[in-house]
Amino acid sequence: QVHLQESGGGLAQAGGSLTLSCAASGRTSTMPYMGWWHQTPENRREFVAAIRWNSGNTEYGYNAQDRFTISRDHAKNTMSLQMNSLKPEDTGIYFCAAAAGFRDYPWGADEYDYWGQGIQVTVTR
């Protein structure tokens, strides 16, 4: 079992920056990757970014490419998402998620086994 807790987020102006963090506890050694997902106000869940837990290799969704940076601190069991050049369409709830076992497709929401509670990000014009 893995428990995830997001922090950070809040309110930002367009063009500004925010940092999200996710603290993982439990059987973190079994996670092949972790990721961030964005639930829009229209209730779409979109892939933001993922990071391979051991190698640190990263994947980005098309909305996050060139604006967001995902990172992890293996020793502290934390993952972060640095969000720059924010746009109003980045508004929504951001979820931290983790996979377990031998999963190997971080772009699919069904390929994650554990989810945080989510944290609100609001970007104003």
Side-chain angles (χ1 to χ4, degrees):
Q1 190 77 10
V2 173
H3 182 256
L4 303 172
Q5 181 65 57
E6 301 97 340
S7 61
L11 184 66
Q13 288 189 328
S17 298
L18 284 173
T19 301
L20 305 183
S21 295
C22 178
S25 60
R27 298 186 64 186
T28 59
S29 62
T30 66
M31 301 187 302
Y33 52 83
M34 294 181 70
W36 289 100
W37 287 79
H38 171 213
Q39 182 166 306
T40 70
E42 298 79 22
N43 249 3
R44 288 192 315 274
R45 191 164 287 198
E46 299 175 341
F47 172 68
V48 178
I51 189 164
R52 306 281 178 173
W53 190 242
N54 287 328
S55 69
N57 290 341
T58 58
E59 308 287 348
Y60 290 93
Y62 71 96
N63 274 335
Q65 195 76 41
D66 299 326
R67 297 191 299 128
F68 297 176
T69 302
I70 189 171
S71 61
R72 58 99 170 91
D73 186 324
H74 207 270
K76 295 182 179 178
N77 286 336
T78 58
M79 176 181 67
S80 296
L81 184 70
Q82 176 65 41
M83 308 166 69
N84 297 328
S85 302
L86 285 164
K87 304 175 182 179
E89 49 265 43
D90 294 322
T91 293
I93 302 172
Y94 283 75
F95 291 89
C96 168
F102 296 100
R103 293 193 186 278
D104 193 24
Y105 192 77
W107 306 271
D110 290 344
E111 299 297 318
Y112 290 81
D113 299 278
Y114 306 105
W115 293 81
Q117 300 265 3
I119 194 161
Q120 178 70 39
V121 168
T122 303
V123 183
T124 60
R125 296 187 184 278

